[in-house]
Amino acid sequence: MAKTIGIMLTEGIEAGVVEDNALVGPTTHFPENRWETDALVEKPHEDLVELLCDRILDLAQGHNDVTAVGLGLPGLVRQGVVEEAPNLPQLKGAKIQQAVSFALHERGFDTNVKTVNDADAMAAGLAAQFGKLDRMIRVWTLGRGIGYGRYPFIDGVWEGGHMVVTLDDKERYCGCGGRGHLEGIMGHRAMRMRFLDLEPEEVFEMAKKGDDRCLQFKKLWHKALAAATASSIHMTGPGKFYLTGVNTRYIDLPMLENYVHQMVTMSPLQSFSIEVVKDSAGTAVRGAGIVAGM
C-alpha cells in the first residue's frame, strides 16, 4: 500500500508517515517547545502554509513513495476551504487545500492533498486503533475548545462543539459569540472566563471537597456533554462514543452515563457506550493519513 503523510494543525503542527493505516515511525512536532501553544496564532495564513510544506517535505524526503497528504485543521472545513476557525482566525476563508498543493508544486513536490476537520481526523485514527474502520464511531475532544468528530465521514458541518445545550440567557461564554453552546460551558477558555478567580483544575478539585459553587458547575459540565451526546444519539442513532483530550481528566464517567440515560429513554436508542481514551496527537496524525488515502 502506498504511503501517505498525515499532518495536523492546531496549537502546533504534528506530522507523520502512514502506511497500511498505521504510523511509520514517530511523529514530529513544531514548534519543538510544546509549551509555546500560541506560537502559530499570530502568523499570517501564508506563513502557516509554508510551515506546513516544510514539515511535509521533511517527511517526504525519506519516503519517495508518498502519494498523498491528509491535512487536519480546526474549525469548519469543507471542500478544501476553512470557512470558520475561531482558534486560528487568520485561516478564515483560506483555500488551504489549494494553497498547500500549489506551494508544494512550486517546490517540486506534486501530490494529492485532502483536508479534514481535526476532530474527524481523530475519529479516523481511533477507528483504526480499535479496529472499527467498518462501523460508525463518534469522538468528543475536550481541550481548549470542544471538537466533535465522526467516522466514517459524511457530508456535513459537524460543529458539534457549538451544539446548543441550554436556553439560559446567561450562557454566553463560547468563543464564537453564540449563546448556550456546549463549548461555552466545557471549553477551557470558557471555564476560565466563568471562574475568573479559579483555574479549571481548581474548580474540579474544589468540587471534590464539596464546594457548592464548584460542585454545581461540575454537574452542569457533565449535563452539557450528556445533552450533546443524547442529541447525537437521537439524530444519528446509538453506538460508540470516545472521549479524548486533556480535559478528560475532569470526566466522572458514572455521572456522565447517568445523565445520558436520563435523556435517552427510548430502548432502541440505549445501546450506546462511552469510553475515555488517552489523548494522542499521533492518533489524529494517523487519522489524517488515512483520510489522505481514501
Side-chain angles (χ1 to χ4, degrees), residues 4-18 24 26-34 36 39-40 43 46-63 66 68-73 100 103-104 107 109 111 113 285:
T4 61
I5 288 175
I7 186 162
M8 297 294 298
L9 174 61
T10 51
E11 289 88 1
I13 299 174
E14 197 90 20
V17 177
V18 176
V24 178
T27 62
T28 63
H29 184 85
F30 177 88
E32 292 185 5
N33 184 354
R34 291 174 181 264
E36 297 177 6
L40 304 181
K43 289 187 179 293
E46 295 86 356
D47 291 349
L48 289 180
V49 167
E50 293 302 317
L51 287 173
L52 290 169
C53 290
D54 289 343
R55 308 281 79 74
I56 292 167
L57 292 175
D58 285 346
L59 287 170
Q61 287 177 0
H63 301 277
V66 168
V69 172
L71 177 56
L73 300 159
V100 171
L104 289 172
R107 298 193 191 191
F109 185 63
T111 190
V113 177
V285 168

Side-chain angles (χ1 to χ4, degrees), residues 148-168:
Y148 174 79
R150 58 161 288 158
Y151 180 90
F153 312 123
I154 59 175
D155 187 38
V157 176
W158 309 122
E159 274 297 316
H162 298 275
M163 187 179 296
V164 176
V165 295
T166 175
L167 301 180
D168 187 344

